[in-house]
Amino acid sequence: MRLHRLDITAFGPFGATQEIDFDALSAAGLFLLHGPTGAGKTSVLDAVCYALYGAVPGARQSPGTSLRSDHAPADLPTEIRLELTVGGRRLEITRRPAQPRPKKRGGGHTTEKAQSLLRAYDTERGWQALSRSHQEIGEEITQLIGMSREQFCQVVLLPQGDFARFLRADAEARGKLLGRLFDTRRFAAVEERLADLRRAAENQVRSGDEQILALAQRIAQAAGPAGREAAMPEVQPGGPGLADAVLGWAATARSSARERLDIAGASVAAAESRRSAARTAWDAERELAALQQRYAETGRRAAASEAGRAGHDDAQEQLRRARRADRVAPALELRDEAERAYRRASAARDRSRSGLPDSLADAGAEQLAALERRLREELGGLDAARRAERRSAEIDSERTALEREARADDELIRDADGWLAGWEATRDGLLARIEAAQEAATRAELLAGRLDPARRRLDAARRRDALADEAVGAEDRLGRAREHALGTREHWLDLRERRLRDIAAELARELVDGEACMVCGSAGHPRPARAGDGHVDQATEDAAEAAHRRAEQARTEAEHVLGAVRERYAAARAEAAEAAGAGADSAEDPDAGGVDDPTAAELAALVDTLTREHTLAHRTAAGTHAAREALAAAERERTQRTEDRRQAERRAAARTSRREGLDSEQESLEEVLAQARGEAGSVTEHAALLQNRVALLVEAVTTVREEEDAAARLKEADDRLADAAFRAGFDTPQAAADTLLAESGQRALQHRIDAWQAEAAAVADRLAETDARAAAGRAPAAPDAARQVYDVAERLLRDASAALASARERCAELGRLSRRAADEVRGLGPVREEYERIARLAGLTAGTSADNERKMRLESYVLAARLEQVAAAATARLGRMSSGRYELVHSDARTGGRRAGLGLHVIDAWTGRERDTATLSGGETFFASLALALGLADVVTDEAGGVRLDTLFIDEGFGSLDEQTLDEVLDVLDSLRERDRSVGIVSHVGDLRRRIPAQLEVVKERHGSAVRHRVADGISD
């Protein structure tokens, strides 16, 4: 990285724009940055850091501080512009911090957002903008430089006193600084990751142990008293031996439970024997009590049977009389039915006579029948009159139909006359419609011939426009490919040139002692060439050449793609601009006016117009057949209407003669109907009145005859009933009816008789039983006492059975839980082994393990290796600065109770002893710090990927050196020019102004600081 130019505007103490030419200052290799205290020397370095990273170093970027100069005018914005070369690219970075500015309208100020701009220089096109994003610019610069802001401030801007404090700091402070510089967060992340894994594995083990302890609690609950005989082991989750203790305790609980199961089985057997004996005694007492109760009950039943004997005899007598009365029952039922039939016939006779005239109220059946016959004869004489009446109604209907037909024919004639009056106009309109359709067909054919070419030209115009955009993209890709190819070529040639510069060192690596050199032929190699910084090997050169060839191939492919796109564009353009087909209308075709490249919109409008006209013409032409059909239909309708009119006139003449015949027939029918109707309104009404009278007479004759028959049957039934009662032994029919008993009553009497007889027989049988009589002579039985003894035995058996079932369940549950506990222990085994392995690794990386003898964390171990490299690199320069007296060495010894790894000692060659760097004097501390800073810069540069740092700044400390030491320090700094580096020294020491000709002076003035360049040619502002 090499700085070329820095422009500072309204930044820090600088009120105006200050320009710093680092190319002029770096020409001598060593330049001095000096000025009075507070003038702004450090602000120059802050501006460099702000331009690169958008922030200034250290506490100067604390919240609330402003980068804007208080001396700057309100309309002059704060801006930093830095031009540098890094990674083989020349860049320009411009940054403006957030700052207040006057409002464009009105008074007051507004805060303007921070702005950034990154540009790159191209040899052909000049400065090209790359990005305006703060984040993108920051990522790009960090990637190119290979260092973060903290690393840059420590390596390039060697700060005031920081490395002196680093020399005197303890291991923890050194670790913080080195961690920022070398970015060892990944190793700290490894420590944290292992710690997290250890905690996760420990949680898994604890969770598994908690599951096992939970199963142990359930085993204790399931074991009950057996579990209380041996206390559950007192262990905590994660403790050693927990699994074995729980499994052993569970085995003891299972053994105790099985012993209790055997005891419960014996108790159940004894309880069953006691219950069986109590059951036998209880059954004997119940049997004795039953026999004694049976004998007592038999005595009570015998007394009750004797008391019911009189009722039994009465029931037998009542049943005999009822059975004699059953022989009279049919005659009684016959007489009752005859009486009911007579009453019904009398009621029907009275109803039928109610509709007759009073003169016929007492008429007999024969008189009523004769009157019926006379009325039927009169009704038969009305048939001819009814036919005449129906014909009269038909004549009225025919007259109505004739009137309706006359009205319809009149309407038809009027409609035909009106339609025929407009026939000429209708025919002319249809003929014009046919002619228009034929003309439209001709125009549709013409438009169809123009529409297809117009559509092809529109498609070509659209392809032309799309290919134009594609050509722009292809040109852009070709430009980028050419730029990339040029860049890879320059990079390859640069690497080739650098390799050729150090080709001697590359050949020297192949030298073997005793073998001839392929260049000079000598077998001795006293001083073989060594590769300088940034040496390029053949593999790197070959890779760059391959990258260049790939870039050239990509450029060639991009050129081919662009050529193909341009050819397709020219073809589409020619097709879109070709002349329209024959018969094109100049008012409608864009080409007709001489337009070379019609637009797609113009062609689309032409296609739309032609499409609409073609659609309209085609639709009109499609109506030709319909128009001809309409004309033929109209002519057919004219013929039909003419014929219909003639037919209607003929029907009108026929209706007139028909109407006269109907009137004559109607007059003759009216004379017959007047005689037949009599006083009724019509013949039908007169016939209905006669039919009603005939029906009433028929009903009256029938009911009178049925009443006479019912009276004869009733008299005959009375005679039969009296004879049946006498034969059955009853004085009167009424006596037989009173004695008569229903079948259900007779069955009830028979049941009472049979029940008394069965009870008497059963009592006699039970009085003959000897065992009941013997039991009655014994003492009263006590079944309740025997039942109580049995209940006690039964309860004891249930308790014993419940205890046995509980013991079995406990044994089964203990077995199941013990198996689960064993499964949990086996499943937790791999997890516990994994935890122990991770715990050992975590303890080793954290420095807490006994295997880590120096108690060094992993990050500290890596930083110790880096510190060892820094000490070795610093010693190379410290030896020259101290005339070979001092040497920096890394120490991993522990001090006090602290961890080892980041100690830094100095070896004094004069005394041969190793001592702490805190014992150095002020001057010794400065050049040791400077050597350490330069060594650190080399190591960090190598760590960052070998990015070359061509510009360094050293801030203060030279005032503590004597003349000889100052000369030696300046010689070391001057030797940095061997690597084409430039070093800027920030100092107040006046002697340096004499020793270093290239100077940048910062002058403190009332209106803000300014810079002045002092080079070999003179002074410039």
Side-chain angles (χ1 to χ4, degrees):
M1 181 195 72
R2 177 177 294 277
L3 305 182
H4 298 292
R5 181 184 182 86
L6 176 66
D7 295 340
I8 306 174
T9 302
F11 181 85
F14 303 104
T17 299
Q18 305 296 324
E19 299 178 357
I20 300 175
D21 188 354
F22 285 110
D23 286 338
L25 293 172
S26 301
L30 194 66
F31 64 91
L32 178 65
L33 174 60
H34 67 93
T37 301
K41 300 184 296 297
T42 304
S43 296
V44 174
L45 308 184
D46 290 347
V48 173
C49 184
Y50 182 78
L52 292 173
Y53 295 98
V56 298
R60 296 191 291 278
Q61 187 63 31
S62 59
T65 60
S66 175
L67 301 178
R68 180 170 175 77
S69 175
D70 296 334
H71 302 285
D75 58 349
L76 182 63
T78 300
E79 181 180 275
I80 303 297
R81 180 180 290 109
L82 175 64
E83 186 178 337
L84 74 160
T85 297
V86 59
R89 301 170 63 188
R90 184 146 184 163
L91 304 176
E92 180 189 79
I93 307 171
T94 304
R95 291 189 187 269
R96 288 187 179 185
Q99 55 189 307
R101 64 168 176 79
K103 292 183 178 179
K104 296 180 179 179
R105 296 180 179 178
H109 291 75
T110 183
T111 301
E112 190 176 60
K113 294 183 179 180
Q115 302 177 25
S116 299
L117 173 63
L118 175 63
R119 298 196 302 170
Y121 183 76
D122 185 270
T123 55
E124 296 181 357
R125 295 183 293 174
W127 288 103
Q128 300 293 318
L130 299 181
S131 176
R132 293 183 177 272
S133 170
H134 302 299
Q135 182 177 358
E136 290 180 0
I137 295 174
E139 292 175 353
E140 180 72 14
I141 295 301
T142 302
Q143 182 178 1
L144 289 173
I145 297 177
M147 289 182 284
S148 64
R149 179 171 64 92
E150 291 78 6
Q151 291 175 317
F152 180 83
C153 294
Q154 293 289 342
V155 174
V156 179
L157 309 179
L158 304 181
Q160 304 183 51
D162 280 3
F163 283 94
R165 287 192 295 274
F166 181 81
L167 284 174
R168 296 187 175 92
D170 56 11
E172 182 176 359
R174 288 196 187 104
K176 291 180 180 179
L177 176 60
L178 292 174
R180 290 196 305 269
L181 292 176
F182 293 104
D183 192 14
T184 56
R185 289 175 294 179
R186 59 186 183 279
F187 301 102
V190 171
E191 296 178 21
E192 294 177 1
R193 177 59 178 166
L194 287 173
D196 293 340
L197 291 175
R198 179 184 61 187
R199 285 191 292 271
E202 184 179 3
N203 291 335
Q204 288 183 344
V205 172
R206 285 182 175 274
S207 177
D209 287 347
E210 288 173 357
Q211 292 289 339
I212 294 174
L213 288 177
L215 287 174
Q217 293 288 348
R218 294 180 62 182
I219 290 173
Q221 294 176 358
R228 290 192 289 270
E229 293 178 359
M232 194 172 67
E234 296 291 338
V235 289
Q236 296 297 327
L242 181 142
D244 294 337
V246 170
L247 292 179
W249 173 79
T252 303
R254 291 198 305 275
S255 177
S256 299
R258 283 194 293 270
E259 292 177 0
R260 291 181 176 274
L261 176 62
D262 296 339
I263 294 172
S267 299
V268 169
E272 287 178 346
S273 299
R274 288 193 296 271
R275 187 192 66 169
S276 178
R279 179 73 186 195
T280 301
W282 181 32
D283 291 343
E285 287 297 320
R286 283 194 299 174
E287 184 177 0
L288 177 61
L291 289 173
Q292 290 177 349
Q293 184 178 3
R294 181 181 180 85
Y295 187 78
E297 183 183 357
T298 301
R300 290 192 297 273
R301 289 173 63 183
S305 177
E306 188 63 28
R309 184 180 294 275
H312 168 67
D313 295 340
D314 292 342
Q316 283 185 328
E317 177 62 23
Q318 186 180 358
L319 181 61
R320 283 194 297 270
R321 288 176 59 83
R323 286 176 177 171
R324 285 192 291 115
D326 287 343
R327 294 195 292 270
V328 186
L332 285 171
E333 292 179 359
L334 184 60
R335 196 265 176 193
D336 291 340
E337 179 62 28
E339 185 177 5
R340 288 193 295 273
Y342 176 73
R343 291 195 188 100
R344 287 195 300 271
S346 297
R349 182 201 62 190
D350 294 339
R351 285 196 303 272
S352 65
R353 287 181 180 273
S354 62
L356 298 176
D358 294 338
S359 58
L360 299 176
D362 296 329
E366 297 300 330
Q367 184 181 355
L368 293 174
L371 182 57
E372 175 196 354
R373 287 191 296 272
R374 185 172 60 81
L375 291 178
R376 284 184 182 276
E377 292 175 355
E378 184 180 354
L379 182 61
L382 294 178
D383 290 340
R386 280 201 295 268
R387 286 193 298 272
E389 188 174 41
R390 284 195 298 272
R391 177 56 186 162
S392 177
E394 291 174 357
I395 292 173
D396 292 338
S397 300
E398 289 181 9
R399 293 167 114 183
T400 302
L402 291 174
E403 293 296 331
R404 187 166 55 252
E405 290 177 0
R407 289 194 298 271
D409 287 342
D410 292 342
E411 181 65 25
L412 187 147
I413 292 171
R414 286 194 300 272
D415 185 35
D417 291 342
W419 192 90
L420 292 172
W423 162 245
E424 294 298 332
T426 300
R427 183 179 61 183
D428 294 342
L430 291 174
L431 291 174
R433 179 180 168 188
I434 293 172
E435 183 178 358
Q438 291 174 345
E439 293 176 356
T442 302
R443 178 166 176 77
E445 292 177 0
L446 295 175
L447 291 173
R450 296 176 57 197
L451 184 58
D452 289 340
R455 286 173 176 168
R456 288 195 298 271
R457 294 177 65 203
L458 174 59
D459 293 339
R462 289 172 176 170
R463 290 197 308 275
R464 178 200 62 197
D465 296 343
L467 289 171
D469 296 337
E470 188 175 349
V472 173
E475 290 174 354
D476 184 57
R477 288 191 295 273
L478 177 59
R480 291 198 300 271
R482 286 174 176 172
E483 182 180 354
H484 180 59
L486 181 61
T488 55
R489 175 179 175 81
E490 291 177 354
H491 179 61
W492 169 48
L493 294 177
D494 180 62
L495 291 179
R496 182 179 180 84
E497 181 180 358
R498 287 163 57 187
R499 180 171 175 247
L500 292 176
R501 285 202 307 264
D502 293 338
I503 193 67
E506 186 174 338
L507 295 174
R509 282 200 302 269
E510 300 177 359
L511 294 177
V512 180
D513 292 338
E515 295 183 3
C517 174
M518 66 179 63
V519 177
C520 65
S522 174
H525 317 296
R527 295 183 62 187
R530 298 184 181 275
D533 291 343
H535 173 65
V536 179
D537 56 9
Q538 185 175 0
T540 303
E541 181 187 352
D542 293 343
E545 184 180 4
H548 169 59
R549 289 175 180 171
R550 289 194 298 271
E552 284 293 328
Q553 183 178 0
R555 180 186 61 79
T556 302
E557 292 176 355
E559 289 176 348
H560 291 165
V561 170
L562 178 59
V565 171
R566 285 175 174 171
E567 290 178 1
R568 289 159 56 199
Y569 171 76
R573 181 182 179 187
E575 184 178 357
E578 69 182 0
D585 189 351
S586 61
E588 298 175 352
D589 194 337
D591 286 348
V595 179
D596 293 336
D597 289 330
T599 64
E602 293 172 346
L603 292 174
L606 175 61
V607 169
D608 291 341
T609 301
L610 293 176
T611 301
R612 285 193 302 270
E613 293 179 357
H614 177 266
T615 302
L616 179 60
H618 185 270
R619 188 183 300 115
T620 304
T624 303
H625 179 71
R628 289 173 177 170
E629 288 293 328
L631 178 59
E635 291 176 346
R636 288 194 299 272
E637 185 177 0
R638 173 177 172 275
T639 302
Q640 183 65 37
R641 286 180 178 272
T642 303
E643 180 62 24
D644 291 343
R645 188 178 185 283
R646 285 196 297 268
Q647 293 294 332
E649 291 175 349
R650 293 193 192 100
R651 287 194 298 272
R655 277 194 301 272
T656 301
S657 59
R658 177 61 178 164
R659 189 179 294 112
E660 292 174 354
L662 290 177
D663 291 341
S664 175
E665 186 179 1
Q666 182 72 35
E667 289 177 359
S668 60
L669 290 176
E670 282 296 329
E671 294 177 359
V672 176
L673 291 176
Q675 295 176 0
R677 281 196 298 265
E679 297 179 357
S682 64
V683 175
T684 302
E685 183 179 349
H686 184 58
L689 179 60
L690 292 177
Q691 289 176 350
N692 186 35
R693 289 177 182 177
V694 169
L696 290 176
L697 289 173
V698 170
E699 184 180 2
V701 170
T702 302
T703 55
V704 169
R705 290 175 178 172
E706 288 178 353
E707 188 268 340
E708 291 173 353
D709 292 341
R713 287 195 298 270
L714 178 59
K715 184 178 182 304
E716 182 181 358
D718 286 338
D719 294 341
R720 289 182 180 179
L721 177 58
D723 183 59
F726 177 76
R727 286 197 303 269
F730 294 101
D731 296 336
T732 62
Q734 186 62 39
D738 294 340
T739 307
L740 189 64
L741 189 62
E743 185 179 357
S744 60
Q746 293 182 20
R747 286 197 303 269
L749 288 175
Q750 186 64 48
H751 288 164
R752 285 174 56 191
I753 294 169
D754 294 342
W756 185 89
Q757 289 175 354
E759 178 65 13
V763 168
D765 291 339
R766 292 180 67 172
L767 288 175
E769 294 177 355
T770 58
D771 52 353
R773 187 181 299 110
R778 296 176 59 183
D784 294 338
R787 171 64 182 274
Q788 293 177 359
V789 174
Y790 173 76
D791 290 344
V792 171
E794 179 72 17
R795 186 175 66 255
L796 293 176
L797 176 60
R798 285 198 302 271
D799 294 343
S801 299
L804 177 61
S806 177
R808 287 175 179 166
E809 291 179 359
R810 290 182 187 278
C811 287
E813 183 67 11
L814 285 174
R816 187 181 65 82
L817 292 176
S818 297
R819 289 191 295 273
R820 282 191 58 187
D823 293 341
E824 289 287 343
V825 170
R826 283 194 297 272
L828 190 59
V831 178
R832 194 182 298 277
E833 293 176 359
E834 179 71 10
Y835 163 67
E836 293 173 355
R837 182 178 65 82
I838 293 175
R840 286 195 301 272
L841 286 175
L844 187 63
T845 57
T848 59
S849 172
D851 297 334
N852 191 336
E853 297 179 356
R854 299 189 179 277
K855 304 299 180 185
M856 291 177 62
R857 294 171 48 242
L858 177 62
E859 184 181 14
S860 299
Y861 180 79
V862 175
L863 291 177
R866 293 290 186 265
L867 182 59
E868 190 172 3
Q869 295 174 354
V870 171
T875 298
R877 295 183 176 87
L878 180 60
R880 294 180 58 187
M881 294 181 186
S882 62
S883 301
R885 178 179 179 182
Y886 294 116
E887 178 183 355
L888 283 174
V889 294
H890 162 250
S891 174
D892 57 3
R894 300 178 62 186
T895 58
R898 299 179 179 177
R899 299 182 181 180
L902 297 179
L904 193 61
H905 290 175
V906 63
I907 297 178
D908 191 345
W910 290 0
T911 63
R913 302 188 63 179
E914 181 178 332
R915 55 192 173 97
D916 194 276
T917 54
T919 61
L920 295 173
S921 66
E924 293 171 339
T925 299
F926 168 73
F927 62 70
S929 302
L930 180 59
L932 185 65
L934 296 174
L936 180 64
D938 292 339
V939 174
V940 171
T941 300
D942 295 338
E943 177 72 14
V947 176
R948 182 178 179 86
L949 301 177
D950 297 322
T951 306
L952 297 176
F953 293 91
I954 301 174
D955 194 356
E956 276 299 349
F958 293 89
S960 59
L961 304 179
D962 57 33
E963 289 191 10
Q964 180 181 354
T965 305
L966 180 60
D967 289 337
E968 294 174 347
V969 169
L970 292 178
D971 289 341
V972 171
L973 295 178
D974 194 54
S975 67
L976 295 177
R977 289 186 296 174
E978 298 175 359
R979 301 185 181 182
D980 198 20
R981 286 183 177 177
S982 61
V983 179
I985 298 176
V986 183
S987 178
H988 297 278
V989 178
D991 193 32
L992 291 175
R993 302 176 193 171
R994 179 179 54 82
R995 294 171 179 262
I996 302 176
Q999 300 176 14
L1000 177 66
E1001 182 180 5
V1002 182
V1003 181
K1004 182 166 59 174
E1005 298 176 350
R1006 184 177 185 85
H1007 300 293
S1009 299
V1011 297
R1012 296 177 181 174
H1013 295 73
R1014 182 188 298 274
V1015 293
D1017 297 336
I1019 300 176
S1020 64
D1021 292 336

